[in-house]
Amino acid sequence: MTCDFHALANQGIQGLHPYQAGKPTDELERELGISNIVKLASNENPLGMSPLALAAIEKATSELTRYPDSNGFYLKQALADKYSLAAEQFTLGNGSNDVLDLIARVFVSNEHEVVFSQHAFVVYPIVTQAIGAKAVVVPAKDWGHDLDAMAEAITDKTRLVFIANPNNPTGTFLSSDALYGFMQKVPENVVVVLDEAYYEYLSEDEQAPSTRWLAQFSNLVITRTFSKAYGLAGLRVGYAISSPEIADLLNRLRQPFNVNSLSLVAAVAALKDQQYLKQSIALNQQGLQLLSEFFEQNAISYIPSKGNFISFLAPSGDAQELYQQLLHKGVIVRPVGPYQMPGYLRVSIGTEQENQTFIKALSQLIGSN
């Protein structure tokens, strides 16, 4: 090969590295020859799929020779009914990552700046660099977003602000009052993305009434997903909620059929299964409490979380070594060094048995009783 295709690529792409997903269980089985692996690396719902969603998928398989509904009519209508909004305010994506990328590509060019927090979701810097825009990374405050500093970082070149609430991988949380106060400070020509992928895990009094703010702040875009509390990570369904004007722009760039037929029907069914959602949230709360108490009892530093995961400091300070040691015990967690969190690992909340398996493995490695 004589052509340097790397040199032909857009400059922003040249410096990127592929997104590193959690290690699959079958890959670890091949590498180490072990079984009964517990995967706690990707913030997935451990409960299994909603029975209503599974039934909807089974019913829809007879129509798989047909293209999906590109407009997602029934899912948009179900979401509109849930939030008492218009269907024209929703943009569907192949997971919420898809709509995050869409928003950036619609509103940002290489002449603009994008503001987000240190330790924030890795997709924000990826899409910013891919476009060639300038990333303005605001230092975190107590592992979370410093909204006052982020507001001060906005300039006449700022076109987009990303805020994750709760944040991944730190699990930190911003109050409704803090978010509302921030929105009041942001110029109307700066789009604010409120990434609420873990919104359902918040208690009712912690959940910001963000969808009601859309009537006041036309520059607000909310993104949510079915991958977490609704348990459809493998089907990839996310969505943005915005003004109809912004949704119209996003849908001009959105790829046709970006959400497949099975995903559409499963998401509609999952919205109806409130019992499943309650079970998912309860299981998560129990797991958060169990792991938090374990860390405290063993003097392991951790970041209190409002998501379905906890980031903790490797007792030895060598997170990569502990990660490898846990792998050999059949437990997959997530190193978060790329988030400027050296020494930390992130563990997702699993079932009771999976959580206990993690606790047992880590206890053995650190010599806990």
Side-chain angles (χ1 to χ4, degrees), residues 279 281-291 349 352 355:
Q279 291 174 343
I281 295 169
L283 181 67
N284 189 67
Q285 287 301 316
Q286 293 165 8
L288 276 175
Q289 182 176 349
L290 176 68
L291 294 189
I349 305 303
E352 171 69 18
N355 295 333

Side-chain angles (χ1 to χ4, degrees), residues 253-269:
L253 184 60
R254 179 185 61 86
Q255 292 293 315
F257 316 119
N258 65 331
V259 182
N260 69 63
S261 299
L262 300 184
S263 300
L264 289 170
V265 298
V268 171

Side-chain angles (χ1 to χ4, degrees), residues 42-45 75 79 82-83 90-100 121 124 165-166 168 194-201 222-241 259 263 266-268 270-271 276-277 308-309:
S42 301
N43 302 345
E44 296 154 333
N45 189 325
L75 178 53
L79 290 167
K82 174 178 174 62
Y83 296 116
F90 293 87
T91 306
L92 303 182
N94 187 252
S96 59
N97 283 15
D98 189 22
V99 291
L100 293 171
F121 187 36
Y124 310 156
N165 195 45
N168 173 31
L194 183 54
D195 180 353
E196 296 184 327
Y198 300 92
Y199 181 83
E200 290 80 9
Y201 290 115
I222 300 161
T223 61
R224 294 185 183 171
T225 183
F226 285 89
S227 294
K228 307 304 179 184
Y230 286 102
L232 300 182
L235 289 176
R236 311 304 300 128
V237 193
Y239 57 99
I241 319 171
V259 182
S263 300
V268 171
L271 279 177
Y276 173 87
L277 183 61
N308 64 341
F309 55 87

Side-chain angles (χ1 to χ4, degrees), residues 141-210:
K141 182 179 181 180
D142 298 326
W143 296 107
H145 294 59
D146 185 342
L147 291 182
D148 289 336
M150 291 179 71
E152 292 177 1
I154 294 173
T155 71
D156 57 0
K157 292 184 178 181
T158 306
R159 184 57 61 85
L160 183 63
V161 177
F162 283 116
I163 297 174
N165 195 45
N167 182 55
N168 173 31
T170 62
T172 48
F173 157 72
L174 296 163
S175 70
S176 177
D177 289 344
L179 287 168
Y180 185 80
F182 176 80
M183 289 302 306
Q184 291 180 307
K185 298 177 183 177
V186 178
E188 63 180 4
N189 65 331
V190 176
V191 176
V192 177
V193 176
L194 183 54
D195 180 353
E196 296 184 327
Y198 300 92
Y199 181 83
E200 290 80 9
Y201 290 115
L202 296 173
S203 63
E204 288 187 9
D205 62 330
E206 292 171 333
Q207 292 176 342
S210 49

